[in-house]
Amino acid sequence: MADFAVHWVDAFTDRPFGGNGCSVVHQAAHLDDETCLAFVRETSLVECTFLGPSDVADVRVRYFLASREIPFAGHPTVASVVAAHAAGTVGTGDLTLETLAGIIPVHLSDDGKRVTMRQNAPEFGAEVDPALVAKAIGLTKADIIAPPQLVSTGLPFVITLLEDRTALSLARLNASAIERMNASIGSDDVMEPFLCTLGGFSNAGDTAARLLMLPPSPPEDPFTGSATGAMASYLWSRGLIETPEFVAEQGHMLGRPGRADVGVIGPRNAIEAVEVAGSGYILMSGTLHL
């Protein structure tokens, strides 16, 4: 039997039960995939991370959904950095993370609670037929007001801009239509469409978003930091937002409000990176016995 220290962190929030929870397992990056997947399923969280030493960065981070390992994720990055500081693995200030998406620079505030991550320069993929996306999310083509497009700052999403929060609230996933949508862009490993609209859930927000998910993941992700970076790149590159700095909100429809402060770096036609910042609240800590 081996024991591992664990922190459960609510990310993109400064209070308990807000934002998106992530369980961070320390000194566990060497664990086999099946053990990591089983742990994610045990927690019923969307994602968990497994940290370990790195020869090229301050810490190595592995990101797991209930179904597979993924190269990068936003809210688990916030959670991992806050947890690593609480465990004494890293200090504050500028840090680097070794991920399957490359070396990710982050900055941890002096109080160890706020993380700013610099996501990769966006990769803009194919535009996706709005009719296919509409069927995948149970809406009509008229609800989609800009061409959906595959965008990645470390993890690919089909960014889908909806007309208003009413459409956002009515979206429902259709699993077979999701498969047809992914087949149309030649991929069977794309996350579900990231749905967003201009205008926040609150007066403080500039965008509102949802990520509905298919089994074995929970039905909805409370906050999706990686997709927020992809969304920011999409909106800025297409001239859909006036300023590259804005407040992104997600999770409010689940009663788990989350907030990220977002900044796109570079001109609309040559984005260099995206910074996504949010707080992390340590909700629980303990020991995992394997």
Side-chain angles (χ1 to χ4, degrees):
M1 177 179 290
D3 292 343
F4 300 88
V6 180
H7 284 91
W8 183 304
V9 182
D10 287 340
F12 291 108
T13 184
D14 58 3
R15 66 170 180 81
F17 313 123
N20 200 352
C22 176
S23 190
V24 181
V25 187
H26 300 276
Q27 303 302 320
H30 63 281
L31 291 175
D32 63 272
D33 289 5
E34 286 306 313
T35 299
C36 296
L37 293 168
F39 180 72
V40 179
R41 292 192 290 267
E42 185 76 7
T43 66
S44 296
L45 291 167
V46 174
E47 289 148 333
C48 296
T49 59
F50 301 81
L51 310 188
S54 171
D55 294 328
V56 295
D58 291 296
V59 64
R60 180 187 177 199
V61 185
R62 297 181 69 195
Y63 304 84
F64 279 85
L65 298 164
S67 58
R68 67 191 188 279
E69 184 174 10
I70 56 176
F72 174 75
H75 90 270
T77 294
V78 171
S80 295
V81 174
V82 170
H85 177 260
T89 304
V90 301
T92 58
D94 294 330
L95 305 166
T96 54
L97 310 181
E98 177 189 355
T99 78
L100 291 179
I103 303 299
I104 303 297
V106 301
H107 181 86
L108 181 62
S109 62
D110 290 342
D111 62 4
K113 296 179 179 179
R114 183 173 175 81
V115 178
T116 302
M117 72 188 85
R118 177 171 283 216
Q119 298 180 6
N120 294 337
E123 296 180 4
F124 294 100
E127 291 187 0
V128 186
D129 184 348
L132 291 177
V133 179
K135 289 181 180 179
I137 58 177
L139 297 177
T140 68
K141 283 178 61 177
D143 293 315
I144 300 173
I145 62 172
Q149 185 174 15
L150 186 66
V151 185
S152 174
T153 58
L155 189 66
F157 294 89
V158 175
I159 304 301
T160 304
L161 183 63
L162 301 180
E163 183 175 20
D164 52 31
R165 288 196 298 277
T166 298
L168 193 65
S169 68
L170 294 174
R172 300 291 185 273
L173 288 189
N174 180 314
S176 59
I178 289 281
E179 291 180 3
R180 290 192 293 272
M181 182 197 75
N182 285 341
S184 76
I185 53 179
S187 176
D188 57 2
D189 195 34
V190 175
M191 299 289 287
E192 293 82 352
F194 188 68
L195 312 178
C196 58
T197 190
L198 299 177
F201 289 112
S202 75
N203 291 334
D206 298 299
T207 61
R210 297 179 74 194
L211 179 67
L212 306 177
M213 306 188 78
L214 296 172
S217 292
E220 183 167 349
D221 194 22
F223 202 101
T224 319
S226 51
T228 297
M231 173 191 71
S233 301
Y234 173 92
L235 295 175
W236 179 240
S237 69
R238 290 178 174 266
L240 295 167
I241 51 176
E242 295 182 1
T243 172
E245 297 181 351
F246 65 95
V247 174
E249 294 184 327
Q250 190 180 345
H252 295 61
M253 292 183 180
L254 297 173
R256 298 186 63 94
R259 168 186 169 135
D261 296 297
V262 186
V264 185
I265 300 169
R268 295 185 191 272
N269 62 350
I271 298 172
E272 300 171 12
V274 183
E275 288 189 342
V276 178
S279 297
Y281 183 92
I282 297 177
L283 184 69
M284 293 184 280
S285 59
T287 306
L288 171 64
H289 308 289
L290 294 178

